[in-house]
Amino acid sequence: MYLVRAIQSFNTTTCTKVHTFTKIAVHFILPVRNQNRPYCRNIPFIGLYKRVIGTLPDDILLHLEKKHPKVISLSEESLQCTLQVLNKFGISAADACFDPHIFCMNPISMDNYGEILKECNFTSILPSHIIRYHTLVKSRTIAQLKEKGLLRDDVKLEEILHENFHEWPKECQQPKTFQDTDTNILTIRMSVLESYLQWKLCITTDEFRKYCKNYLPLKHRPMCDIKEALNIAENDIKFNMDTIRRNGFIISSDPTNTKLILENVDTLGGVDVRKVIRSEPALLKNNYRAILEIKKLLMQYNISDDAQQHYFKIYCMHPRTVQERLEQLSKLAEYKILCTNPRVLYMVVHERKMMNRLNKIRAARKQCYSLNNLVASTKLFNTYISSFGEKVCSKDIAILISSSLNVQGITNKSVLDKLRKHKYSLHIALNVIGENIHRLKKLFDDDVIFDNCQILLYPVLELEKFINCFVKIRNGDTSVKETSKVELDATYSTIDYRILTDSQILSLVLYEIEKKYHFSGDGIWNRLEGGMTDTQIANKKLKQSANN
């Protein structure tokens, strides 16, 4: 009977509209119907409608375009997903087709609404009930619902909802006397849920109000889902009660998605996913597919497990956002230098803040930036920008060198032990060190570079000039001595260049650069363009005044 009324309503509405048009309008519309008819085959909903109902009204496409335009673009997969959810509540495909708006709803929300109506012992659940869920649970009293036959007259809703929590002792339950004439479903549900959570988690009324305000899904999450979410959190993930109480979204999380995360995501950053969730509970807010996609993206961009372990918050983001930010950051010279740092994901999560700070560093003409400056508090960063002179974080230098050189036993400490011998080692820009590593690795083994790692502090072109000279002489090209602008020490005439090792060549290069500055360490300043930069001059004056 319901289907017959729906068909009659559909056709009557269409005919009424056609008859109200002028003759010109009628002649204009009729050809459009005939043209649209063949295209109906390419619209999954119309195909479903014809399979289920058996007939196809001429005006169905026009009706959908006007009343339910979103339905036209839905895929077959989306339609089947909706039908699968509706089937749980005894709603047939035919019932759904006569209420097309049901297909436009979010499947998860639709499932939740149906489950809540089922928990409340609705006599029947129709598509219109799910579509108008908020009206039924918030704007209609219990008495009105009983009057319409949606609830039985003898139903005591509070008692029915208490039955969802079998582990809740009867003596701990404190039923309230709600009047059917002035109470709605939502009020009773929230009262029962608050009482249950007070018993289960020992929360206060203020805490429960914050949950409802900050985590909106909680109000419209079925009791069975809340109970299952708490069970998984407590017994599988092993959250303690204090953590659950502090993070209300754990209570309102979707248990189905949580189970899919636990089943499909073994580890994140080399750490068991349960341990990761315990350290970053907000992970439960994200879809399991999104987490897997982010994991794949981090592998593509060679983000190490160590970096992921420093900032699991990256897995709380949308994959598209992560991809866009990684693409943008990977084009920056600063990111290329800092990408091996364990805290590099901070740049991705807080990309706007990072870009703003990088722009301020450039405007201030600060060359000795480091990730330590970028992640520092606003107060410390502003002090760095406004201060006289500049300095690199020693840990960031050590990380850059140790992560770039594949040497057995190399550590951040061993790198710093070698660099500390140079008094200006913390006043060299990371990009200079990074470029030197890149160029030296083409000619020398990593262990040779590590043994002479102080050479990484010197200007790139200056190093290349001397290295090329010594390598050519070692290879037998003695003409370099006359043609090259490099003036070698006269005492080198007794040296047999052919037997020089790579390590000895780098030592000679360092000796040649520094001898002009009486081995003071000043050879690290770039004078190739006729003088030092303003920052370098300021640094040197500052150090000289400190020494005096």
Side-chain angles (χ1 to χ4, degrees), residues 233-498:
E234 185 181 359
N235 300 316
D236 194 345
I237 302 175
K238 305 295 183 183
F239 279 122
N240 58 50
M241 286 300 177
D242 286 338
T243 303
I244 298 174
R245 197 161 44 241
R246 286 195 310 270
N247 300 282
F249 56 81
I250 295 176
I251 305 168
S252 62
S253 62
D254 181 5
T256 302
N257 183 61
T258 302
K259 286 188 286 187
L260 287 170
I261 292 174
L262 299 177
E263 291 169 4
N264 294 280
V265 186
D266 295 330
T267 61
L268 294 175
V271 179
D272 181 77
V273 69
R274 288 167 177 78
K275 187 175 181 180
V276 176
I277 294 173
R278 287 197 293 270
S279 66
E280 193 61 60
L283 205 70
L284 295 177
K285 295 179 182 180
N286 215 351
N287 183 276
Y288 84 98
R289 286 195 184 93
I291 294 172
L292 289 172
E293 196 171 336
I294 293 171
K295 183 178 181 179
K296 185 177 179 181
L297 278 170
L298 297 183
M299 288 179 62
Q300 290 175 0
Y301 281 86
N302 297 318
I303 305 296
S304 66
D305 286 349
D306 189 21
Q308 295 178 44
Q309 292 168 22
H310 274 76
Y311 223 65
F312 282 124
K313 193 181 289 291
I314 190 74
Y315 286 104
C316 301
M317 298 175 65
H318 193 283
R320 188 182 303 164
T321 303
V322 175
Q323 184 173 13
E324 289 173 353
R325 293 184 180 184
L326 282 170
E327 286 176 356
Q328 181 180 354
L329 289 169
S330 61
K331 298 174 184 176
L332 300 178
E334 292 88 349
Y335 176 82
K336 292 176 181 177
I337 294 297
L338 300 172
C339 64
T340 58
N341 196 293
R343 293 183 291 176
V344 69
L345 287 178
Y346 191 97
M347 295 182 71
V348 181
V349 177
H350 304 283
E351 184 256 353
R352 290 183 183 177
K353 178 181 176 181
M354 295 299 99
M355 292 304 300
N356 182 45
R357 288 191 170 186
L358 282 174
N359 290 332
K360 287 183 178 180
I361 290 172
R362 292 164 186 163
R365 299 180 69 184
K366 296 277 188 180
Q367 296 183 22
C368 293
Y369 65 87
S370 65
L371 192 58
N372 195 55
N373 303 128
L374 295 175
V375 303
S377 66
T378 302
K379 182 179 179 181
L380 289 176
F381 178 76
N382 290 337
T383 302
Y384 161 74
I385 288 294
S386 58
S387 64
F388 183 70
E390 50 185 325
K391 197 175 182 181
V392 180
C393 172
S394 60
K395 188 175 181 180
D396 285 351
I397 292 180
I399 290 171
L400 174 60
I401 296 175
S402 62
S403 62
S404 302
L405 300 178
N406 185 18
V407 177
Q408 187 176 3
I410 189 171
T411 62
N412 293 343
K413 184 179 181 301
S414 62
V415 171
L416 289 177
D417 288 342
K418 287 180 174 292
L419 292 180
R420 283 194 185 103
K421 299 174 184 178
H422 200 298
K423 60 180 180 179
Y424 297 143
S425 61
L426 300 184
H427 298 272
I428 301 301
L430 288 174
N431 62 294
V432 172
I433 296 173
E435 190 174 356
N436 277 331
I437 293 173
H438 177 70
R439 297 203 180 191
L440 288 177
K441 281 172 74 75
K442 295 178 180 179
L443 296 173
F444 304 98
D445 294 336
D446 287 6
D447 55 346
V448 173
I449 299 172
F450 174 63
D451 289 339
N452 298 271
C453 65
Q454 284 190 32
I455 205 168
L456 299 174
L457 306 175
Y458 289 80
V460 177
L461 297 180
E462 193 80 356
L463 290 182
E464 285 190 335
K465 180 175 66 175
F466 285 101
I467 288 173
N468 289 337
C469 180
F470 282 118
V471 169
K472 286 181 179 179
I473 295 175
R474 183 177 66 177
N475 293 338
D477 186 0
T478 55
S479 63
V480 175
K481 295 180 180 180
E482 288 76 28
T483 58
S484 175
K485 296 180 180 179
V486 176
E487 295 181 7
L488 300 179
D489 195 297
T491 58
Y492 291 171
S493 57
T494 58
I495 295 178
D496 186 355
Y497 289 98
R498 293 173 300 175

Side-chain angles (χ1 to χ4, degrees), residues 88-103:
K88 291 172 57 179
F89 311 113
I91 299 175
S92 67
D95 290 341
C97 285
F98 285 115
D99 234 326
H101 182 72
I102 195 74
F103 291 97

Side-chain angles (χ1 to χ4, degrees), residues 44-220:
F45 174 78
I46 293 180
L48 172 67
Y49 188 99
K50 187 174 182 181
R51 289 197 306 271
V52 172
I53 308 302
T55 59
L56 198 62
D58 289 341
D59 293 351
I60 187 169
L61 187 56
L62 294 174
H63 177 76
L64 292 175
E65 287 175 344
K66 185 172 183 180
K67 296 290 186 181
H68 311 286
K70 290 184 180 179
V71 174
I72 297 173
S73 59
L74 293 176
S75 65
E76 184 69 32
E77 183 182 358
S78 177
L79 296 176
Q80 292 303 321
C81 179
T82 298
L83 292 175
Q84 189 176 358
V85 172
L86 295 177
N87 187 55
K88 291 172 57 179
F89 311 113
I91 299 175
S92 67
D95 290 341
C97 285
F98 285 115
D99 234 326
H101 182 72
I102 195 74
F103 291 97
C104 301
M105 294 182 66
N106 182 292
I108 295 175
S109 298
M110 185 170 53
D111 191 15
N112 288 340
Y113 298 163
E115 285 291 347
I116 290 172
L117 298 181
K118 189 176 179 180
E119 286 178 350
C120 294
N121 271 16
F122 262 53
T123 54
S124 63
I125 300 175
L126 302 176
S128 59
H129 298 157
I130 295 177
I131 292 171
R132 296 169 182 81
Y133 161 82
H134 288 282
T135 301
L136 295 178
V137 301
K138 292 193 291 187
S139 303
R140 298 287 182 268
T141 64
I142 302 298
Q144 289 172 331
L145 295 174
K146 287 182 176 180
E147 186 180 344
K148 288 187 176 182
L150 297 176
L151 292 175
R152 295 196 314 272
D153 291 337
D154 60 342
V155 162
K156 294 182 179 179
L157 187 57
E158 189 175 15
E159 291 181 7
I160 290 173
L161 294 176
H162 274 110
E163 292 174 2
N164 287 285
F165 305 105
H166 301 293
E167 78 281 12
W168 190 9
K170 291 282 186 183
E171 58 271 17
C172 296
Q173 299 175 10
Q174 297 178 348
K176 299 177 182 178
T177 36
F178 292 104
Q179 297 298 320
D180 288 354
T181 54
D182 57 7
T183 310
N184 58 35
I185 288 177
L186 185 61
T187 301
I188 299 176
R189 288 189 77 253
M190 290 300 99
S191 174
V192 172
L193 181 59
E194 181 181 358
S195 299
Y196 172 72
L197 293 178
Q198 285 176 342
W199 169 78
K200 180 76 173 175
L201 303 176
C202 299
I203 65 168
T204 63
T205 299
D206 287 340
E207 284 177 320
F208 182 75
R209 286 173 181 168
K210 287 180 182 177
Y211 295 163
C212 295
K213 180 182 178 181
N214 298 328
Y215 312 114
L216 297 180
L218 186 63
K219 286 186 177 182
H220 306 291

